[in-house]
Each structure stands twice: as C-alpha cells, then as structure tokens.
Amino acid sequence: MSATTAIVTRGKKSSIRRGGMSKPRGVDWLVLALIALGALLVIAPFYLILVNSFKSPVDYANSGPLALPQSIDLSGLTAFWERVNFPEKLWNSIFISSLVAALAVLISLLNAFAIGIGRVRGRSWIVLLFLMANLLPQEALLFPLYYMFKEIGLYDNIWSVIIIFTVIQAAFGTYLLSSVFGTFPKEILEAASLDGATRWQILWRVVFPISRPTLSVLLIFFFIWTWNEFLIPLTFLASNANQTVPVAISVLQGDRLMDVTTTSASALLGIIPTLIFFLIFQRTLTRGITAGAVK
C-alpha cells in the first residue's frame, strides 16, 4: 500500500468516526442565530394576542401587554362573540373559503389539462395571459366588478365573493398546473391511449391520481388565502349578516367600546380556525411539497 493510499484511508476512517460531519463553523452559528431571531419575531405577535386575550381591562392596565394574566378572564372573548355573532361570521368564512378552494382546484385542473397536456394552440400566450391576470392588483378590479355585480343583482351576496375569488385563485392554479402538466411523462399518456382510454378517462384515472399531492397543496393554500382576504369581502358584503371573520374584526375595531383585550380576543378567534385547518392537513401539505423530490 502506498503512502498516499494510507493517508486517504486514515482520513476516511476518521471522518466515519466523527459521523461524517464537520465541526460547526462561525457562519453556521450566525445563520442559526438569525433563524432564532426570525422565529422570535414571528412568535411575538401570537404571544401578545394569546396573553392579552385572557386578561381583563383592569389587569391589562396594571400589568401591561407583556405580562402573563393574573387570572383567566374570558370577558373579551365573550364580548366579541356576542357583538359580532361570531358563529354566523365563522360559517360565512368557512363556506366561502371551502367552496372557493374546491371550485378553483377543479377549474385549474381542467384548464391545465387542456393547456399542458391537450396542447391547445397558442399555449404559451394563454399561460402568459393567466400570469398577467395574477399580477393585477385587486384595487384595479373593484370598480368594474362592483358595477357588474350591481347590475346583475349579486351585490351584497356571498356568491359575488365566491365567483370573484374562484376566478382569481383558478388563474394562479391554472398557471402553476399548466407548467407542471407540460412536463408530464408522455409515455404514460401514450400507454393509456393504447389501452383505449378516452381523454376524460386519462384525466381522472391517470393525471388526477398522480397530481393529487400538488392539488392538495393548492386546496390548502386557496382556503387560507381566501379566508384571510379583506378588501373584496369588505366591498361586496355590506350587510352584517354576510360579513366574514376578518371583516367583522376590522369593523368592530372602530367601535368606541372596543378595548385591547377584546381586540386581542377577536384576533385569537380569527386565527384559531385556520390554525386547526392547517394542523389537520399538515401531513397532506408536507407530502404534497416533497412529492416532487422523490421519483
């Protein structure tokens, strides 16, 4: 054995004894410190909301916003629940967000199948059109949409918001899925065609099962994005009975009777449904994001 081979062998053995990992460098500690700082900045608002939601106004005035509550007080949660009829607003948000997410995913799937796999003429221009639609600010859409829904009698109707958000989310979903379906293995599609499958059967028996993780991710994001929308629901849902949770929170904050504890309680009640939804579908979201990394 030569001297060079012996040195390489000893180096491999030493690296194996160390577990194949080098010692942390100064850059690694700096990155870790920045990540920890970023995590604290993200957690801080949630801490303030959670702590102040269970304080009484007197407790908040005496101890300030950072201290833990001296005793659990549910007056803020109760006041917000009763003032805005929270179950009604919660149902409006759930109904709108769920229906928009489902319809937007379905329309995105059909559009992307026609563009990405059906290979329609002018495919690149159509995808560019959907991309430009996603770049339009919502403020530019308010007046024409307001005039249109006013004319057809859907103003101050939940279905006006459902239609608007379905189109907006489907535009993004079509753009994303068209790019994904454009790289779909042709061998699978040709094999299905040789077996006598129609286009409809190829969509639901071949493309849909393989694309299910991606569609699940889109469904989750569409639900959360629609839930957090504020400007369009505020504009098109004028009556109190049709308002969503974010609109109810913002409208009530202008009330002179609102205090910090009630405001924190309203924010907490607005966060809890989306947090539960995220925790339920967390595994689905993780599988969908990592599906493309494993063949």
Side-chain angles (χ1 to χ4, degrees):
M1 181 182 296
S2 63
T4 305
T5 306
I7 293 173
V8 172
T9 304
R10 286 196 299 269
K12 289 182 178 179
K13 291 181 179 179
S14 62
S15 64
I16 293 174
R17 285 195 299 267
R18 292 194 303 266
M21 298 179 63
S22 59
K23 294 182 178 180
R25 298 175 298 174
V27 177
D28 298 331
W29 289 112
L30 178 60
V31 172
L32 182 60
L34 292 176
I35 293 175
L37 179 61
L40 288 176
L41 293 177
V42 172
I43 294 174
F46 294 100
Y47 171 79
L48 292 175
I49 291 173
L50 182 62
V51 168
N52 295 313
S53 297
F54 297 98
K55 288 182 180 179
S56 64
V58 176
D59 189 4
Y60 178 84
N62 294 332
S63 60
L66 299 178
L68 294 173
Q70 297 179 0
S71 61
I72 301 298
D73 186 277
L74 302 178
S75 59
L77 294 169
T78 304
F80 176 72
W81 187 284
E82 294 176 351
R83 289 181 192 176
V84 303
N85 191 4
F86 185 74
E88 180 183 61
K89 307 302 183 293
L90 180 63
W91 165 249
N92 291 339
S93 292
I94 292 176
F95 179 75
I96 293 173
S97 301
S98 301
L99 196 56
V100 167
L103 291 176
V105 169
L106 177 61
I107 295 174
S108 301
L109 176 63
L110 297 176
N111 290 342
F113 179 77
I115 297 172
I117 295 179
R119 300 294 181 179
V120 297
R121 292 185 178 182
R123 171 181 176 274
S124 300
W125 290 103
I126 295 175
V127 174
L128 180 61
L129 181 64
F130 279 106
L131 176 61
M132 294 176 62
N134 285 284
L135 298 177
L136 286 175
Q138 292 186 0
E139 291 80 3
L141 303 174
L142 287 181
F143 179 74
L145 290 176
Y146 172 82
Y147 181 79
M148 180 181 68
F149 285 112
K150 197 79 172 179
E151 288 294 320
I152 63 177
L154 283 181
Y155 179 74
D156 195 18
N157 191 304
I158 288 179
W159 285 100
S160 63
V161 176
I162 293 175
I163 293 172
I164 293 172
F165 284 138
T166 299
V167 174
I168 293 175
Q169 311 291 24
F172 174 79
T174 301
Y175 169 73
L176 179 65
L177 289 179
S178 297
S179 303
V180 174
F181 288 173
T183 60
F184 202 88
K186 296 181 180 179
E187 294 78 7
I188 299 178
L189 302 176
E190 292 174 356
S193 299
L194 292 176
D195 290 338
T198 63
R199 286 295 182 94
W200 189 255
Q201 291 173 334
I202 292 175
L203 171 61
W204 293 111
R205 296 185 181 181
V206 179
V207 177
F208 175 73
I210 296 176
S211 306
R212 189 175 298 172
T214 304
L215 298 177
S216 301
V217 173
L218 282 179
L219 183 72
I220 294 171
F221 280 127
F222 287 167
F223 181 92
I224 295 176
W225 291 345
T226 306
W227 180 283
N228 292 327
E229 285 290 346
F230 170 73
L231 181 60
I232 289 179
L234 177 66
T235 305
F236 290 90
L237 301 178
S239 62
N240 183 61
N242 293 329
Q243 290 177 353
T244 59
V245 172
V247 175
I249 293 174
S250 65
V251 170
L252 195 58
Q253 286 179 356
D255 192 343
R256 294 182 180 179
L257 298 177
M258 284 286 286
D259 51 64
V260 177
T261 57
T262 308
T263 304
S264 300
S266 65
L268 179 63
L269 289 176
I271 292 173
I272 287 177
T274 53
L275 182 61
I276 295 175
F277 178 84
F278 177 79
L279 292 177
I280 293 174
F281 293 97
Q282 181 182 11
R283 183 173 299 179
T284 303
L285 179 63
T286 304
R287 286 201 303 263
I289 293 176
T290 59
V294 181
K295 293 184 179 181

